[in-house]
Structures are given as C-alpha cells and as structure tokens.
Amino acid sequence: DLESIDVDVNNLDFYSEDNCLINKKDTRDYKAGTALIRGCKNSKIPSGIKTIEPHAFFGCKSLKSITIPDTVTYIGFSSFEGCTSLEEIVIPSSVTYIDSFAFRGCHALKKVVFQTTSIKEIYTGLFEDCWSLEEITVPEGVKSIIGNRAFCGCKSLRSVKLPRSLERLEFYGEVFAGCNLDTITIDPLNNYFHVKGNCLLNEDCTILIRGCNSSTIPDTVKSIWSDAFSGCTRLTSIDIPDGVEEIGTRAFENCTTLTGIDIPESVKRVGKNAFYGCVNLQDIKISKSTEFDINSSFRGCPD
C-alpha cells in the first residue's frame, strides 16, 4: 500500500515519474520508458506507458481511482489485484491484452467500462470477487472467456451482456459462479450461444450454462450445468421441465430463498453440493431412480 516512489536521478535502470517506477533501458520485452513496473496509491500513469507490468498495483488498498492512458496496450497479471478501494476502471481503446486476475479482489469496484474492441480473450479470475460490481458488458471482439472464475464471486452482479463475437466459454457456469444475476443477454446474431427464458444456453439449447433469479428453463434443456444458478439469492422458485437428465455440481448452491424443488423422473443424477446452502429449502420431490450424493447434494439445508 505504497504512498510514494522516488528513484535517485543517477540510477541507470529506473526512474520515477508521478509516483510510478518506470524502466530506463530498452529490454527484450519493451522499450525504455514504456513499462510501469510499480505504482502506488498516489500514482498518475504517464502518457507513453505501454505496459502495466504484473503486480504493478498489487495490494494498493488505498488506491481509489486511476486513469489508464490511451497509450497502454497491455495490463499484466494481477496488476490491480487487491486494490480494495478502487471504484471504477476504464479500459481504453488501445488495450489489446489483459492477463489473468488483473482486477481480482477489487471489492469496491462498481463500474467497468470497456472502450476497447481489440481484446480477444478474457482470462481466469479477471474480475473474481469484485463484490460491488453491478453490471458488465463484455466488449465486441472477445471470442473466448478462457479458464474459470472470470466473474466468480461477484455477488452484486445483476446484469451481463455478451457480444456477437463470443465463440467459447470454458468451464461454462463457473465463469459466473456466485453471481446474483437478474438478467443475461447476448447479441442475437451470436452463432454459438442463445439466451432463452433468461438462461444462457449452448448452441443446440440442450445445456443450461447460466441462469438468473427470474429464469424459466426451456423445454429443450437436458443438462443444468455446474454452478448454473449458484448465488441467485432471489430465486424463490424454479420449474425443472421433464426432459432434464442431469443437475450439475453446485447448480443451485446458496439459492437462499428457494423453498421447494420438484425434480422430475427424467433426472438421472443430481451432482455433489447441488443444493448446498439452500437454507430455506423445505420441500423436495425426487424420484427413487434419481441418483444423488446422500452426504452432499442437499447439505446445508437444515429445514
């Protein structure tokens, strides 16, 4: 949680400007004066900086705001992780790459604005545990959300908008695990995913990837994926249509206002911790032929 950075003027390798530690020499990876190596809570990122290095602002708990200049192209691994007071971030149009965990644990982060359309992938844990984030619009140009937990634990996240360009979601529901979503939308011209009944579905609409507090599960769904509804604390009821064959691991974890569930005979298996933490769940209807883990599928359901 540094307050200032000052480099002796005779140092041959580094210099400081506006409370930023910056390289002075050319290297294999960047030219002199273009890499911000370390910042602090009073930093102002100089124009001309192209790369924000890994861990550059890691743990700056008192950093409330920062402007990323439109010369920056690269935001490194865990570069702003743990900046728990940071409230807003604008990603300028110049940025082409943001590495994993760049904003993980920014608990006060309420707003993210993507001005760039040059990012192709969103990596693991990019906004994990950003507790105050309320909405996110994944920018056009993103083709893949790679790795799990990109938005995991964003417990205030209510709205997600996905672009036409999106082709791939790794680990499916884990991307939004623990998010308290009300709406999820996708560009209608997207060829790889669909949204029906406020549910994100795969290409042939047989897998429910992610649901919301107000979802209606389409009749085409065969599998409710892992973490599909996890964290939906305002989900009071849900109808599982006949034809669903599988309810995945943690599918309804911590749906704390869900009071009853009817599991149709078509369901062959209920995964581990599927209803873990559903503390108000009182009534369960389940077929004798449906397999479930007696120790965990309904663990944490005291009533």
Side-chain angles (χ1 to χ4, degrees):
D1 200 22
L2 295 176
E3 295 183 0
S4 64
I5 298 175
D6 185 30
V7 180
D8 188 291
V9 293
N10 295 314
N11 188 294
L12 299 178
D13 296 291
F14 307 101
Y15 71 96
S16 56
E17 181 180 344
D18 291 328
N19 279 313
C20 296
L21 178 65
I22 303 169
N23 69 312
K24 186 179 277 189
K25 291 183 177 181
D26 289 345
T27 71
R28 183 182 61 182
D29 298 319
Y30 38 69
K31 293 182 178 181
T34 63
L36 192 161
I37 296 166
R38 180 66 199 187
C40 59
K41 72 177 186 179
N42 296 316
S43 291
K44 179 181 178 182
I45 302 176
S47 180
I49 293 295
K50 292 186 177 180
T51 67
I52 298 175
E53 287 293 284
H55 300 98
F57 289 88
F58 183 96
C60 287
K61 297 179 180 180
S62 301
L63 180 71
K64 292 185 177 182
S65 64
I66 193 77
T67 299
I68 299 175
D70 59 8
T71 55
V72 171
T73 60
Y74 171 88
I75 299 175
F77 181 92
S78 294
S79 50
F80 292 91
E81 182 176 354
C83 293
T84 53
S85 299
L86 187 63
E87 296 182 353
E88 181 176 342
I89 198 76
V90 177
I91 311 296
S93 58
S94 56
V95 173
T96 59
Y97 188 97
I98 306 176
D99 211 340
S100 301
F101 306 119
F103 299 97
R104 179 168 64 173
C106 293
H107 299 329
L109 188 64
K110 293 181 179 180
K111 187 176 182 180
V112 176
V113 178
F114 285 96
Q115 295 179 339
T116 181
T117 57
S118 299
I119 297 173
K120 302 303 179 186
E121 292 89 21
I122 287 179
Y123 289 100
T124 300
L126 182 60
F127 294 102
E128 183 178 356
D129 289 337
C130 290
W131 298 338
S132 301
L133 189 63
E134 296 180 353
E135 61 180 46
I136 194 76
T137 298
V138 177
E140 186 62 42
V142 170
K143 291 186 175 182
S144 304
I145 299 180
I146 297 176
N148 61 350
R149 307 178 73 85
F151 301 96
C152 176
C154 295
K155 56 187 179 181
S156 297
L157 190 62
R158 296 193 175 195
S159 172
V160 170
K161 297 180 181 179
L162 301 172
R164 176 182 179 180
S165 57
L166 187 65
E167 299 177 1
R168 180 185 174 198
L169 271 174
E170 277 195 358
F171 297 97
Y172 275 5
E174 290 186 26
V175 170
F176 299 104
C179 296
N180 203 4
L181 294 179
D182 287 330
T183 61
I184 188 165
T185 59
I186 194 166
D187 189 300
L189 296 178
N190 185 288
N191 294 322
Y192 297 90
F193 302 97
H194 303 278
V195 172
K196 296 182 179 180
N198 223 4
C199 299
L200 178 64
L201 310 171
N202 68 330
E203 188 173 356
D204 65 1
C205 297
T206 59
I207 297 176
L208 194 162
I209 299 168
R210 180 65 207 190
C212 304
N213 287 304
S214 57
S215 291
T216 300
I217 301 176
D219 292 337
T220 57
V221 170
K222 301 294 184 184
S223 177
I224 299 174
W225 208 253
S226 299
D227 295 290
F229 290 89
S230 69
C232 288
T233 63
R234 293 185 294 278
L235 181 72
T236 57
S237 64
I238 191 77
D239 291 327
I240 300 176
D242 190 30
V244 171
E245 298 176 357
E246 180 182 19
I247 298 174
T249 303
R250 303 179 304 274
F252 292 91
E253 184 180 45
N254 292 327
C255 292
T256 53
T257 58
L258 189 64
T259 57
I261 194 77
D262 286 352
I263 300 174
E265 292 186 5
S266 60
V267 175
K268 298 176 182 178
R269 188 182 72 87
V270 176
K272 291 183 177 181
N273 295 314
F275 294 90
Y276 175 73
C278 295
V279 293
N280 286 300
L281 187 61
Q282 297 178 3
D283 299 301
I284 303 167
K285 184 178 181 180
I286 187 168
S287 170
K288 291 181 180 180
S289 62
T290 300
E291 296 180 3
F292 64 94
D293 189 309
I294 193 168
N295 294 314
S296 72
S297 291
F298 299 97
R299 187 161 61 98
C301 302
D303 293 331

